[in-house]
Amino acid sequence: HYTRFHVERVNAYAQAVAHEMGWADDRLETLEFGAILHDIGKISIPESILRKTGPLSKAEWEEMREHPRVGARMVEGIPYLAPAVSTIRAHHERWDGSGYPEGLHEKAIPEAARLLAIVDAFDAMTSDRPYHAAVGADHAQAEITLQSGRLFDPVFVDAFNRCYTRGDIFKVLQTYQALDSKPA
């Protein structure tokens, strides 16, 4: 349930920012595949790790850090998904090189992955997770802005902030909060 809405929200946020950036339809489609499949590699992670409420051990963290590679390998042989492989593999890379799995930095990170990193982080912060309660949208947006030039590409943070200020991001959040509150 959580994962379904997570990937839908991440895709909706990503599409809003990509539209703000003026991306062409073919790039939007590739971004959509990457957004929907970015965490597919977590299928290889034991539920005990995914649902753990406390900090992960070193071994658990190492296993979790492999999900982008696993996900990329899962889809790389599917021709129509091939353009999304680099996005799936690099969605946890960080502008300053502190991300994983390769430690890429700045423009070595594919653009779609740089965009996805921002909206994935926003969604993670604004969603209840086993290991933390959701924070408000304004708090999450402020944190994204604070990490501009460190964790996130400043150009994409600026586009995200324009979407946030205009209300595009909040509309997505509200839509899925309403869906989440409906009985399953």
Side-chain angles (χ1 to χ4, degrees):
H1 178 77
Y2 164 77
T3 300
R4 173 180 162 226
F5 286 137
H6 169 65
V7 300
E8 289 179 9
R9 284 188 307 266
V10 166
N11 181 50
Y13 296 140
Q15 293 295 320
V17 176
H19 278 285
E20 176 68 23
M21 301 286 296
W23 285 19
D25 288 346
D26 61 328
R27 290 182 79 192
L28 295 174
E29 182 179 65
T30 298
L31 177 63
E32 181 175 16
F33 289 142
I36 291 169
L37 297 170
H38 74 278
D39 277 341
I40 195 168
K42 285 185 177 178
I43 200 166
S44 71
I45 307 296
E47 284 290 314
S48 61
I49 294 174
L50 294 175
R51 296 185 183 278
K52 188 169 181 178
T53 56
L56 298 179
S57 69
K58 184 177 180 188
E60 291 167 333
W61 184 237
E62 286 174 12
E63 192 166 353
M64 180 65 86
R65 289 170 59 109
E66 285 301 308
H67 84 269
R69 281 193 186 117
V70 171
R73 282 194 305 269
M74 289 174 71
V75 303
E76 67 190 358
I78 304 169
Y80 72 95
L81 296 178
V85 169
S86 64
T87 302
I88 295 166
R89 184 182 300 110
H91 75 277
H92 281 293
E93 299 290 356
R94 298 297 178 247
W95 188 249
D96 66 2
S98 66
Y100 61 88
E102 306 296 331
L104 301 177
H105 69 282
E106 296 186 6
K107 294 190 178 180
I109 305 166
E111 282 188 313
R114 285 184 258 156
L115 190 164
L116 204 59
I118 293 167
V119 298
D120 189 36
F122 179 83
D123 191 66
M125 286 186 273
T126 57
S127 302
D128 284 326
R129 299 279 181 104
Y131 49 88
H132 77 75
V135 301
D138 289 343
H139 181 272
Q141 183 265 342
E143 184 63 24
I144 296 291
T145 302
L146 183 66
Q147 298 302 330
S148 179
R150 183 174 165 259
L151 300 183
F152 306 121
D153 181 334
V155 171
F156 288 102
V157 171
D158 288 346
F160 174 84
N161 283 337
R162 288 191 303 272
C163 291
Y164 189 86
T165 300
R166 194 170 43 245
D168 300 344
I169 301 299
F170 196 68
K171 285 177 195 167
V172 172
L173 184 60
Q174 283 185 312
T175 298
Y176 283 95
Q177 284 174 335
L179 288 174
D180 224 9
S181 66
K182 291 182 180 178

